[in-house]
Amino acid sequence: MAYKSKRGGLARFWAVFMTILLAASIFFGIVTEGFKNWDASTWFKKDAEKGTVIDGDGNEMNGDTVYNMPSNMVFRPALRGATPATSVTIKAIIEPLDATNQLVDWTIAFVDPSAAWANGKTLSDYVTITDTNELTTTVTFKQAFGEQIIITVTSQDNPEYTDTCTVDCSQKLGSAYVTYAAGAGLEGDTIVTLNNATGTASNWAIFKAYLSKDGQKAASFTYNTTEVYTIEDTYTTTVSISPSAALLAEAKKINASAVSGSYDASAGITANTDFFAQLLGADFATVPNLYELGKVLDKKSVAQPFVVTVTTTSTYTEDVTDTYYLAYAASSIGKAVTGIQIEDGTIIF
């Protein structure tokens, strides 16, 4: 029996060893890109953000395809510059297609080299083309540029025949900031600003709710964009507020009919009963229910009451979404006092 026990233990040892060896082989196969990259400093680094290129019709151009030379292209840079460089290959079309001499000359230049931005700049630091007499050339974008560039192809057989491609660089959005002004006519109200770094949900803005008033906190937008470009972009931002799961759970304890809704705060916020009705349902948003909810929030049992999603779209930038948390001053929940009345008459001592 002792002999069998030793053999069983040895078998288990080798089974575990082979499992570990297999897992290690898979791991190193992945991080070394098929056992080809043994530079450990690069194994866990994220790919650098790359730029993209589109033609004049808005179609994206990738580096694996040869495109007939368009009349214009737009380089959309990465926010921190295009690293690694972004390249596309374009092709000139000779007429007739069976012309004997198919050789051409390619040139590239700033449209206005004396322009304020271009003056003193070296073009090859920003955009290059391959030095070739063939019908195709590869255009490589290295970083954002602030003056239009023109690529010209000229027939060697007949230099009178040329064609050009104008190259632009688009403005690109990093993040959108939203500011809500103090509500009109709401004493003691404060400005709310959603302006943390893009893609985060760490900031904490607080606004006051006045259930008997309709004063609106109007929204304004500030856009964090790249500073070097030839085409200015335009942006459209929508803001949506929804209750967090924790807030909804507390609301259901107060009124079982509470639901998860959303409030369009793109133009502004009017923090009254209608606001809460859109967020938690019409059956919930009555003053007694909201007063009870206010007491819950005063105890800070709900750390993040509302989730605010800010989404910005534009022509040249991928949609940018920022997420924030929003609270409200629970002590302001309830009907505001509008006056005091006493019975007519005289009090005699």
Side-chain angles (χ1 to χ4, degrees), residues 87-167:
S87 296
V88 294
T89 300
I90 57 177
K91 178 181 180 180
I93 305 298
I94 291 289
E95 296 180 353
L97 295 177
D98 59 353
T100 302
N101 187 344
Q102 299 270 325
L103 298 179
V104 297
D105 292 319
W106 294 91
T107 59
I108 184 171
F110 285 122
V111 170
D112 183 3
S114 62
W117 185 88
N119 187 29
K121 298 289 196 308
T122 300
L123 177 57
S124 59
D125 290 340
Y126 301 90
V127 182
T128 63
I129 58 175
T130 51
D131 184 12
T132 177
N133 293 325
E134 304 297 327
L135 294 179
T136 60
T137 188
T138 298
V139 186
T140 300
F141 299 90
K142 298 180 178 180
Q143 58 181 312
F145 51 92
E147 173 61 25
Q148 279 188 320
I149 292 170
I150 190 163
I151 298 172
T152 303
V153 58
T154 303
S155 167
Q156 287 191 0
D157 185 56
N158 190 342
E160 293 183 3
Y161 290 101
T162 66
D163 207 349
T164 61
C165 173
T166 302
V167 185

Side-chain angles (χ1 to χ4, degrees), residues 169-173 225-226 229 231-235 316-317:
C169 177
S170 70
Q171 184 183 41
K172 192 167 182 179
L173 176 67
T225 64
T226 51
Y229 55 86
I231 297 180
E232 185 174 6
D233 210 346
T234 57
Y235 305 103
Y316 298 107
T317 302

Side-chain angles (χ1 to χ4, degrees), residues 2-347:
Y3 176 71
K4 289 183 178 180
S5 176
K6 289 181 178 179
R7 291 192 61 185
L10 186 61
R12 285 194 296 273
F13 168 79
W14 280 109
V16 172
F17 175 78
M18 292 303 295
T19 300
I20 295 174
L21 182 62
L22 176 61
S25 298
I26 294 173
F27 170 78
F28 282 105
I30 293 173
V31 300
T32 61
E33 302 171 11
F35 303 101
K36 296 178 181 178
N37 174 19
W38 292 101
D39 183 358
S41 65
T42 67
W43 288 353
F44 301 104
K45 288 185 177 180
K46 293 182 178 180
D47 291 337
E49 184 186 7
K50 294 183 65 174
T52 56
V53 183
I54 60 174
D55 63 21
D57 296 324
N59 302 309
E60 188 165 327
M61 305 171 71
N62 61 65
D64 300 324
T65 305
V66 177
Y67 300 90
N68 290 342
M69 187 173 76
S71 59
N72 62 292
M73 294 188 294
V74 179
F75 172 54
R76 301 183 297 186
L79 287 173
R80 290 166 296 279
T83 305
T86 304
S87 296
V88 294
T89 300
I90 57 177
K91 178 181 180 180
I93 305 298
I94 291 289
E95 296 180 353
L97 295 177
D98 59 353
T100 302
N101 187 344
Q102 299 270 325
L103 298 179
V104 297
D105 292 319
W106 294 91
T107 59
I108 184 171
F110 285 122
V111 170
D112 183 3
S114 62
W117 185 88
N119 187 29
K121 298 289 196 308
T122 300
L123 177 57
S124 59
D125 290 340
Y126 301 90
V127 182
T128 63
I129 58 175
T130 51
D131 184 12
T132 177
N133 293 325
E134 304 297 327
L135 294 179
T136 60
T137 188
T138 298
V139 186
T140 300
F141 299 90
K142 298 180 178 180
Q143 58 181 312
F145 51 92
E147 173 61 25
Q148 279 188 320
I149 292 170
I150 190 163
I151 298 172
T152 303
V153 58
T154 303
S155 167
Q156 287 191 0
D157 185 56
N158 190 342
E160 293 183 3
Y161 290 101
T162 66
D163 207 349
T164 61
C165 173
T166 302
V167 185
D168 278 291
C169 177
S170 70
Q171 184 183 41
K172 192 167 182 179
L173 176 67
S175 58
Y177 299 163
V178 189
T179 300
Y180 291 99
L186 302 183
E187 298 81 2
D189 199 11
T190 58
I191 294 174
V192 173
T193 303
L194 308 178
N195 63 351
N196 233 33
T198 181
T200 68
S202 60
N203 74 315
W204 182 253
I206 297 177
F207 70 96
K208 294 183 178 181
Y210 294 84
L211 301 185
S212 61
K213 300 182 180 181
D214 292 323
Q216 184 186 63
K217 299 170 73 71
S220 61
F221 302 97
T222 301
Y223 299 106
N224 172 32
T225 64
T226 51
E227 297 180 355
V228 177
Y229 55 86
T230 64
I231 297 180
E232 185 174 6
D233 210 346
T234 57
Y235 305 103
T236 300
T237 300
T238 58
V239 185
S240 177
I241 302 177
S242 60
S244 67
L247 178 63
L248 181 60
E250 292 296 332
K252 284 184 175 293
K253 293 177 184 178
I254 298 170
N255 187 314
S257 64
V259 296
S260 179
S262 64
Y263 180 89
D264 185 356
S266 303
I269 300 174
T270 302
N272 56 14
T273 50
D274 289 339
F275 171 82
F276 292 97
Q278 292 183 49
L279 288 172
L280 297 169
D283 291 341
F284 178 90
T286 62
V287 171
N289 287 340
L290 292 176
Y291 183 74
E292 291 301 316
L293 185 63
K295 290 193 295 184
V296 170
L297 294 178
D298 276 339
K299 296 177 182 177
K300 303 195 183 304
S301 55
V302 179
Q304 299 162 343
F306 300 119
V307 179
V308 185
T309 303
V310 181
T311 302
T312 302
T313 61
S314 67
T315 302
Y316 298 107
T317 302
E318 303 82 359
D319 289 358
V320 173
T321 299
D322 298 318
T323 304
Y324 302 96
Y325 294 128
L326 192 66
Y328 63 87
S331 58
S332 67
I333 292 293
K335 287 283 187 180
V337 175
T338 59
I340 297 177
Q341 292 184 350
I342 61 174
E343 294 291 334
D344 292 336
T346 303
I347 299 176

